[in-house]
């Protein structure tokens, strides 16, 4: 493995990444969701950048996995709320399902793409690309959603 981790240790990193999802309801209740979203995305970008340097240290990987999980936990409920805020009420159920399917497909394709990049160019490049995508999303996604929200007279 590129990190020197055993399969068990890789499983621990994955589990640590998921633990902060317990905090999602807390993040969902914040008043300024745009700030929560932007801070979570910038934190995710920084943490992915730090993972570039942490591939040799399991303790750093464990720590960054927890922190990255917190960043994702901040972004997920806010993003879901922004998406449903863009939907007409009569189509909210089916559009929510489509939104979830698109996000899940993106996550799967992202993982696959990261694996291809890692095999071809090293693990570090996958982390850099992921961090760059997070940073770009801070500037693109909220503006588009705000325009759509205004169009539906929501928010």
């Amino acid at each position: 493995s590129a990190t020197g981790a055993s399969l068990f240790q890789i499983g621990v990193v994955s589990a640590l990444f998921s633990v902060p999802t317990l905090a999602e309801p807390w993040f969902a209740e914040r008043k300024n969701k745009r700030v929560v979203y932007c801070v979570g995305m910038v934190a995710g970008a920084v943490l992915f950048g730090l993972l570039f340097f942490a591939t040799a240290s399991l303790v750093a990987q464990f720590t960054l996995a927890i922190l990255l999980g917190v960043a994702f936990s901040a972004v997920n409920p806010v993003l879901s709320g922004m998406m449903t805020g863009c939907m007409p009420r009569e189509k909210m159920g089916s559009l929510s399902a489509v939104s979830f399917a698109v996000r899940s497909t993106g996550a799967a394709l992202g993982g696959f793409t990261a694996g291809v990049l890692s095999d071809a160019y090293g693990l570090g490049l996958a982390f850099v690309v992921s961090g760059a995508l997070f940073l770009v999303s801070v500037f693109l996604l909220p503006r588009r959603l705000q325009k759509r929200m205004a169009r539906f007279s929501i928010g």
Side-chain angles (χ1 to χ4, degrees):
S1 142
T3 63
S6 69
L7 293 177
F8 174 76
Q9 291 165 328
I10 291 170
V12 169
V13 169
S14 297
L16 289 174
F17 174 78
S18 299
V19 168
T21 59
L22 297 171
E24 282 188 9
W26 184 83
F27 287 114
E29 305 244 337
R30 301 301 97 199
K31 290 196 189 258
N32 195 335
K33 290 175 177 46
R34 182 179 167 94
V35 170
V36 172
Y37 174 82
C38 290
V39 169
M41 293 302 281
V42 169
V46 169
L47 293 166
F48 271 120
L50 290 174
L51 276 168
F52 175 81
F53 300 105
T55 55
S57 169
L58 286 175
V59 173
Q61 289 174 27
F62 290 167
T63 304
L64 291 171
I66 291 172
L67 295 174
L68 198 54
V70 171
F72 271 81
S73 295
V75 170
N76 282 336
V78 174
L79 183 60
S80 293
M82 286 192 300
M83 294 301 291
T84 56
C86 296
M87 299 173 188
R89 290 196 186 276
E90 65 275 2
K91 294 186 178 186
M92 196 173 289
S94 59
L95 290 176
S96 291
V98 170
S99 173
F100 180 77
V102 167
R103 286 176 44 204
S104 297
T105 302
L109 291 175
F112 174 77
T113 304
V116 171
L117 282 175
S118 296
D119 280 348
Y121 303 104
L123 189 57
L125 181 63
F127 292 138
V128 169
V129 168
S130 296
L133 289 172
F134 260 65
L135 204 52
V136 166
S137 295
V138 171
F139 298 105
L140 296 180
L141 194 56
R143 287 188 187 129
R144 287 185 181 168
L145 286 176
Q146 284 179 351
K147 287 177 185 175
R148 289 191 49 88
M149 288 168 74
R151 199 171 91 202
F152 289 115
S153 299
I154 299 171

